[in-house]
Amino acid sequence: MSITITPVANERMRHFLAGSPAAAGVRFGVKRTGCSGFAYVVDLADTVGDGDQMVEVDGLPLIINDSSVALVEGVVIDFQRQGLNASFVFHNPNATGACGCGESFTVS
C-alpha cells in the first residue's frame, strides 16, 4: 500500500486524533456518490473492523476498508487553505475523470 501524506495534511490529521484519544486512527477511503462515481472519506475511526486494513504513514495510523484499497493506491493527500476555506486535497493516479465541481471522481 503506497499512500503519501504531505506534512501539512499529517499535522491536520494528528490535530484531529489528539482531540479524540480513543480513536484507533484516521479512516481514509472512498464511497459511491456524486455525479462521477466516488468521493473521498476522511474521518476518525473508533475501531478497526474485519474488512479494514491498517497502515502507518509517517507515524499516522490510516484505516482503509478493503473495498477502497485499489482505488486509493498511490494517492497523495494534501491539506490546503484558500481564504476562509480549508480542505484535504487528493492527487489520485487512478482517477480518470472528475465531475465539474471536483467532489467526485471516476476510475477506468
Side-chain angles (χ1 to χ4, degrees), residues 2-3 21 26 49 57 84 86 96 102 106:
S2 173
I3 294 176
V26 175
V57 179
L84 297 176
T96 56
T106 58

Side-chain angles (χ1 to χ4, degrees), residues 10 25 49-50 53 59 77 90 100-102 107:
N10 189 307
D50 290 338
Q53 293 185 27
I77 305 171
F90 309 95
C101 65
V107 294

Side-chain angles (χ1 to χ4, degrees), residues 9-65:
N10 189 307
E11 180 181 325
R12 185 67 172 174
M13 289 181 186
R14 286 182 187 281
H15 173 76
F16 286 125
L17 282 172
S20 298
V26 175
R27 179 165 301 281
F28 174 59
V30 298
K31 64 179 180 177
R32 287 197 171 275
T33 190
C35 45
S36 287
F38 296 100
Y40 296 101
V41 175
V42 178
D43 203 355
L44 295 178
D46 295 327
T47 61
V48 179
D50 290 338
D52 292 331
Q53 293 185 27
M54 185 174 205
V55 296
E56 191 171 297
V57 179
D58 296 327
L60 185 74
L62 280 185
I63 300 164
I64 304 165
N65 65 8

Side-chain angles (χ1 to χ4, degrees), residues 63-108:
I63 300 164
I64 304 165
N65 65 8
D66 289 339
S67 62
S68 294
V69 168
L71 298 171
V72 299
E73 177 67 33
V75 166
V76 175
I77 305 171
D78 196 7
F79 184 78
Q80 296 180 350
R81 292 184 184 275
Q82 293 180 328
L84 297 176
N85 299 317
S87 63
F88 288 104
V89 178
F90 309 95
H91 305 283
N92 189 340
N94 305 304
T96 56
C99 67
C101 65
E103 292 296 319
S104 61
F105 68 97
T106 58
V107 294
S108 52

